[in-house]
Amino acid sequence: MDCGKVAPMQNDLFQTPGNSSLPSVNLEELNLSQRQAVVSTEGPLLVIAGAGSGKTRTLVYRVAYLLEQGVDPENILLLTFTRKASQEMLWRAGQLLNETCRRVVGGTFHGIANMLLRRYGHHLGFGSSFTIIDRADAEGIVNLLKGSLGLTGRDKQFPTKRVLINMLSGSVNKSIALDDLIFDQYAHLSEHVDDILNLEKHYKEFKFNNGLMDYDDLLVNWKWLLAEVPEARQEIGARYSHIMVDEYQDTNLIQADIVRLLAHEHENVMVVGDDSQSIYSFRGADFYNIMRFPKVFPGTQIIKLEENYRSSQPILSLTNDIIRNAAEKYTKTLFTQIAGEHKPRLFAGRDEREEAVFVAKKIAELRSKGIELNNIAVLFRSGFHSYKLELELNSTGVDFEKRGGLKLTESAHMKDVIAFLRLQVNPYDTLSWNRILLHLDKVGPKTARKIADTISTAESPLQALSDYPCGKPWRQGMGKLVLLFRDMEKESVPGNLYEQVLLYYQPLFEQIYRDDFPKRQKDLDQLKAIVSGYDDIQGFVDDTTLDPPETAAGRETADKERLILSTIHSSKGLEWDAVFVIGLAEGRFPHSKAQLGEQWEEERRLLYVAATRARKYLYLSYPRELMTPDRQFRRVGMSPFLSELRAGLFERLDKPFTQRSAPSYQPPSASGAMDFGMKSKKTKNLSAKDLQQGARVKHPFFGQGSVKGSMKGRSVDVEFDRHGIKTLHLDYAKLSLV
């Protein structure tokens, strides 16, 4: 599907309405497409923003422009995928206009859901003091329920807590029934489906009874509120008269439904995104949300941002060609005023070690040209693809950072301290009580659970704790704990509350983590500064779950000159002067298990995202030999996404493959992964003569279809009876004449 229809440009769109004075927001600083997106404030608008095309700048100017046109800041809602993104946008809008921008409502879907559910959640039976739990908390609850439901034991091969949470969350984010997800993605665990469904029921009940919500509940309950409570929907819809959504291609079905319900009355909704950068289906993101937006909102105006301000033209020419063969897309062609001197370069190493040596050598050359290490990145599809390179970098003394690691509040000692503060917000938080009670000497899991259960049903949780009949070995410890909470009742300043907790917790901390507590101490000190920056404890507790801060170590590495190693998924939204994309071999990129259709197309978009991270230099590489799962070495060729690129778009730095190399890559069938060991029967190579317009052909996945138009090089357009028009490359498409 090619959704290429764009609203015509009209210069009179950019005139200030009426006789008002000239705007203080200078629209001349924007290009024509950006200006049109800024001033088109009424009705549904879809902005297809190519990589590096000034998407954030456009949103910033639109916020300022709306305020300048008289829209109250409280009536503007800006939804982003990180809180940092919304804060930066609103700060920049304030630089353009004034401090009024601070009153614009901006944040993540989860953050706005949290705010609204605390205000309107009573319609659904929730109090305003519910606690948000993170993944570790959720896994703890599931583990608890596994035990109470008798789903553990040596003779019962029941899924782990991690897998169970993956199932429960996947069902919500992909909007499919849990049993359907199990049979589709976890067929080997289908014998446990009834027990898993029972556990899901108890998990929901446990959260509701204890005033808890996980990340997924925030979205589910927000949608439920809008869909089922007309009073709340009308009030919220009237409040937000202008809605903007960033990174719309990364939304899941629930988020798309929330946007539809929010904008139901006025349809003043602008969504910004790039279908070519939709790469998060594993998190539940639905590529088709951005494709179907014009159908959900009839009369949608489509504007494309195609001028790139990041990369040189040679890099853009290659990235345009990567996405050219995408089966479904909004057609766009990125261009730039940055001429650039260097074409992207392709290197094929003998094996992964030679590929690693090449990358290390080129990094040294780039540094000799004055490019700093932190302006160079090496990207790969999966984390283990960089192992050989890491060894090479270590041997040559190159300092690097591999992206990832714990957030500050994800470590055990941080969770201990935060549990005390969470109980100030929600005294019925059984999970936090359980964690704290287990610190008492001589109190085990069963006793802690009994005490927590008693507290959860009491009218006064603290009084229930104080009255609980204590065993002699832990009576003194319980007395100290009760005294702490009595003192905390009298305090409301977050920094002071934290000081009280630390006085109680410090001796326990040094005992529990006696092996390395000095190393962990700096985290406690750092948290003190963070807590003291809040006006109320509720805000701090919410933020530790919704937007946890990084560790001190994580921030320190950001200030050092280090080479960046990163998966492509983690690199989205970032850019560097020089980018290496490694492991671009058949069977590895796209992944050998990627089936034809949507999985294959997402792999193509993944390569597009990687290549568009580069400003000046782009290197693409692959090994000619890979080790198979059974530890055999196999000759491979380049990724099919590279083999379909037009000639002249890149420069080879090695001798081209000879015919003695591996045969052209055949993508896996829809039924399974590529078989490294089996040899396929030879089939006749079809030619241009065979594939004249109208010729009937058959494809192993798409079925039967007819050739549309003449061949373009080794590619041909085929209109399939059930799947529409697809562009296929004859070297790996497995087409046959009917």
Side-chain angles (χ1 to χ4, degrees):
M1 181 176 72
D2 184 354
C3 304
K5 187 177 180 182
V6 185
M9 297 288 185
Q10 296 179 6
N11 290 328
D12 59 355
L13 283 172
F14 310 132
Q15 304 303 316
T16 306
N19 295 318
S20 59
S21 60
L22 289 174
S24 58
V25 178
N26 185 6
L27 297 179
E28 295 300 320
E29 296 175 344
L30 305 174
N31 66 39
L32 195 61
S33 296
Q34 291 171 336
R35 273 182 275 165
Q36 188 181 15
V38 166
V39 302
S40 301
T41 58
E42 302 301 313
L45 173 63
L46 171 60
V47 177
I48 301 299
S53 62
K55 165 180 68 73
T56 300
R57 182 181 179 85
T58 302
L59 284 165
V60 166
Y61 272 76
R62 184 179 170 94
V63 168
Y65 182 80
L66 282 168
L67 293 172
E68 195 174 63
Q69 300 306 301
V71 178
D72 287 336
E74 292 86 356
N75 296 146
I76 301 172
L77 176 62
L78 174 62
L79 290 167
T80 60
F81 273 79
T82 66
R83 188 173 64 166
K84 181 180 178 182
S86 64
Q87 288 175 335
E88 180 185 345
M89 288 182 199
L90 296 181
W91 180 84
R92 286 173 58 180
Q95 297 296 105
L96 287 177
L97 201 60
N98 53 45
E99 292 189 359
T100 307
C101 298
R102 291 184 179 181
R103 288 159 47 208
V104 171
V105 183
T108 64
F109 275 90
H110 294 86
I112 300 300
N114 172 51
M115 177 190 73
L116 293 175
L117 288 171
R118 293 198 186 280
R119 186 174 302 169
Y120 299 100
H122 62 276
H123 290 292
L124 306 178
F126 294 100
S128 61
S129 61
F130 62 82
T131 299
I132 306 166
I133 59 175
D134 62 15
R135 184 186 174 97
D137 295 329
E139 288 182 359
I141 295 171
V142 163
N143 219 32
L144 194 70
L145 293 173
K146 279 176 65 178
S148 64
L149 295 172
L151 300 175
T152 55
R154 292 182 181 178
D155 57 342
K156 189 145 190 171
Q157 299 300 313
F158 200 68
T160 64
K161 60 183 180 181
R162 180 184 63 81
V163 172
L164 287 166
I165 288 297
N166 285 344
M167 290 177 176
L168 297 174
S169 184
S171 169
V172 172
N173 283 289
K174 296 179 181 179
S175 296
I176 58 177
L178 179 57
D179 52 350
D180 287 341
L181 180 134
I182 293 170
F183 287 119
D184 182 43
Q185 298 182 25
Y186 301 90
H188 60 295
L189 298 173
S190 57
E191 63 180 292
H192 303 297
V193 66
D194 290 337
D195 286 334
I196 296 172
L197 291 173
N198 187 38
L199 187 143
E200 178 193 35
K201 173 174 159 291
H202 281 82
Y203 177 60
K204 289 179 178 177
E205 289 174 353
F206 183 96
K207 289 184 294 181
F208 186 82
N209 292 337
N210 290 280
L212 307 174
M213 287 193 202
D214 60 27
Y215 291 128
D216 299 328
D217 293 328
L218 290 170
L219 298 184
V220 169
N221 291 329
W222 187 9
K223 177 186 171 182
W224 184 19
L225 179 72
L226 294 172
E228 302 297 331
V229 185
E231 175 189 343
R233 181 175 65 249
Q234 290 169 7
E235 188 173 332
I236 295 169
R239 178 178 179 183
Y240 301 122
S241 62
H242 290 80
I243 301 166
M244 287 172 278
V245 187
D246 190 18
E247 304 285 10
Y248 193 71
Q249 79 281 346
D250 293 336
T251 54
N252 61 26
L253 285 170
I254 297 177
Q255 290 164 325
D257 285 342
I258 287 170
V259 172
R260 176 179 55 81
L261 289 164
L262 280 173
H264 179 70
E265 294 295 328
H266 51 72
E267 295 196 344
N268 294 332
V269 55
M270 169 199 193
V271 300
V272 183
D274 184 2
D275 53 296
S276 299
Q277 296 187 68
S278 179
I279 59 173
Y280 294 116
S281 65
F282 67 94
R283 295 181 187 168
D286 192 328
F287 168 77
Y288 290 100
N289 280 347
I290 196 166
M291 304 306 292
R292 68 169 70 97
F293 184 85
K295 293 182 179 178
V296 174
F297 291 94
T300 293
Q301 183 181 9
I302 301 174
I303 297 172
K304 297 179 185 178
L305 305 184
E306 297 175 289
E307 184 170 359
N308 179 283
Y309 297 93
R310 173 191 301 157
S311 307
S312 66
Q313 189 58 53
I315 291 174
L316 292 182
S317 296
L318 182 135
T319 57
N320 284 334
D321 215 50
I322 289 172
I323 212 68
R324 172 177 56 91
N325 287 324
E328 297 184 79
K329 62 184 182 294
Y330 288 98
T331 299
K332 59 184 175 296
T333 302
L334 297 183
F335 66 94
T336 183
Q337 305 299 319
I338 307 169
E341 304 173 3
H342 309 282
K343 280 186 180 182
R345 292 169 181 177
L346 175 67
F347 176 81
R350 183 173 55 252
D351 51 24
E352 288 185 90
R353 185 180 182 282
E354 187 174 80
E355 181 185 24
V357 170
F358 164 78
V359 172
K361 179 183 176 183
K362 286 299 173 185
I363 289 171
E365 290 180 9
L366 290 168
R367 293 182 74 187
S368 69
K369 295 178 181 178
I371 297 180
E372 296 181 345
L373 266 183
N374 53 9
N375 260 324
I376 305 173
V378 182
L379 308 181
F380 32 84
R381 196 204 172 286
S382 300
F384 70 90
H385 292 172
S386 68
Y387 289 168
K388 286 286 194 301
L389 177 61
E390 290 172 46
L391 292 173
E392 182 65 26
L393 294 173
N394 283 326
S395 69
T396 55
V398 175
D399 201 8
F400 64 87
E401 172 192 348
K402 194 168 183 180
R403 287 291 162 91
L406 284 176
K407 298 288 187 181
L408 178 66
T409 52
E410 290 175 344
S411 49
H413 55 296
M414 291 290 94
K415 283 184 167 294
D416 290 345
V417 176
I418 292 170
F420 290 95
L421 302 177
R422 279 171 43 158
L423 288 170
Q424 290 299 106
V425 175
N426 177 14
Y428 294 98
D429 182 350
T430 307
L431 210 61
S432 292
W433 279 120
N434 195 66
R435 188 176 194 99
I436 289 170
L437 292 167
L438 284 173
H439 291 156
L440 297 178
D441 192 28
K442 306 300 181 182
V443 171
K446 287 185 179 179
T447 303
R449 197 175 305 152
K450 286 180 182 178
I451 301 172
D453 288 344
T454 301
I455 292 171
S456 68
T457 57
E459 184 174 339
S460 170
L462 184 53
Q463 191 61 47
L465 182 72
S466 179
D467 294 342
Y468 194 86
C470 301
K472 188 175 181 180
W474 46 277
R475 184 175 297 147
Q476 184 178 0
M478 178 66 92
K480 290 181 180 179
L481 184 62
V482 170
L483 186 61
L484 168 67
F485 280 108
R486 292 289 184 203
D487 290 341
M488 291 177 72
E489 268 190 327
K490 305 169 188 174
E491 184 58 72
S492 60
V493 178
N496 295 343
L497 282 168
Y498 184 78
E499 290 280 9
Q500 291 176 328
V501 170
L502 211 55
L503 281 172
Y504 169 87
Y505 179 69
Q506 188 71 37
L508 293 172
F509 165 71
E510 294 179 9
Q511 181 181 351
I512 297 168
Y513 305 103
R514 53 183 175 272
D515 292 337
D516 65 346
F517 77 84
K519 182 179 177 181
R520 294 173 183 255
Q521 183 68 50
K522 64 181 180 181
D523 289 341
L524 294 178
D525 298 338
Q526 185 180 342
L527 194 62
K528 176 184 175 182
I530 294 172
V531 175
S532 299
Y534 281 81
D535 295 328
D536 63 87
I537 203 66
Q538 174 82 67
F540 166 75
V541 169
D542 287 349
D543 283 353
T544 57
T545 308
L546 291 171
D547 194 22
E550 294 180 351
T551 61
R555 280 198 296 277
E556 286 168 7
T557 58
D559 297 331
K560 292 183 179 180
E561 189 188 340
R562 290 186 172 185
L563 172 72
I564 302 300
L565 306 185
S566 174
T567 61
I568 300 171
H569 286 101
S570 297
S571 74
K572 189 169 174 293
L574 304 175
E575 57 188 73
W576 296 272
D577 283 347
V579 169
F580 294 80
V581 188
I582 64 174
L584 292 169
E586 57 176 329
R588 176 166 282 189
F589 203 136
H591 191 274
S592 61
K593 293 182 180 179
Q595 299 175 5
L596 284 170
E598 181 50 34
Q599 289 181 343
W600 187 268
E601 291 302 314
E602 181 156 323
E603 294 283 304
R604 183 196 305 279
R605 297 194 292 268
L606 198 60
L607 178 56
Y608 175 84
V609 167
T612 52
R613 301 308 94 200
R615 298 190 193 107
K616 300 176 181 178
Y617 301 92
L618 175 62
Y619 294 89
L620 310 170
S621 66
Y622 65 97
R624 293 177 171 175
E625 188 175 72
L626 285 175
M627 184 181 287
T628 63
D630 59 354
R631 302 189 66 79
Q632 300 295 314
F633 286 99
R634 174 178 177 270
R635 295 296 297 272
V636 294
M638 68 173 71
S639 163
F641 298 144
L642 295 182
S643 64
E644 68 186 21
L645 292 175
R646 293 167 176 162
L649 292 176
F650 58 85
E651 174 188 344
R652 288 202 74 127
L653 299 182
D654 62 318
K655 293 181 181 179
F657 245 173
T658 64
Q659 283 304 111
R660 294 183 61 188
S661 63
S664 295
Y665 181 52
Q666 301 290 340
S669 67
S671 61
M674 187 173 78
D675 187 342
F676 283 112
M678 297 295 291
K679 292 183 179 179
S680 59
K681 294 181 180 179
K682 286 188 176 181
T683 56
K684 176 193 172 186
N685 289 327
L686 298 179
S687 65
K689 185 177 179 181
D690 296 319
L691 297 173
Q692 296 295 321
Q693 184 172 355
R696 293 290 291 174
V697 293
K698 185 177 181 180
H699 187 276
F701 178 74
F702 296 124
Q704 294 191 14
S706 301
V707 174
K708 296 279 290 184
S710 56
M711 284 181 58
K712 305 163 188 173
R714 294 291 292 162
S715 296
V716 62
D717 290 339
V718 180
E719 183 170 12
F720 290 100
D721 299 342
R722 294 187 178 181
H723 295 274
I725 296 178
K726 307 289 180 186
T727 300
L728 303 174
H729 196 286
L730 295 188
D731 289 342
Y732 57 87
K734 284 189 175 179
L735 280 178
S736 59
L737 294 172
V738 177

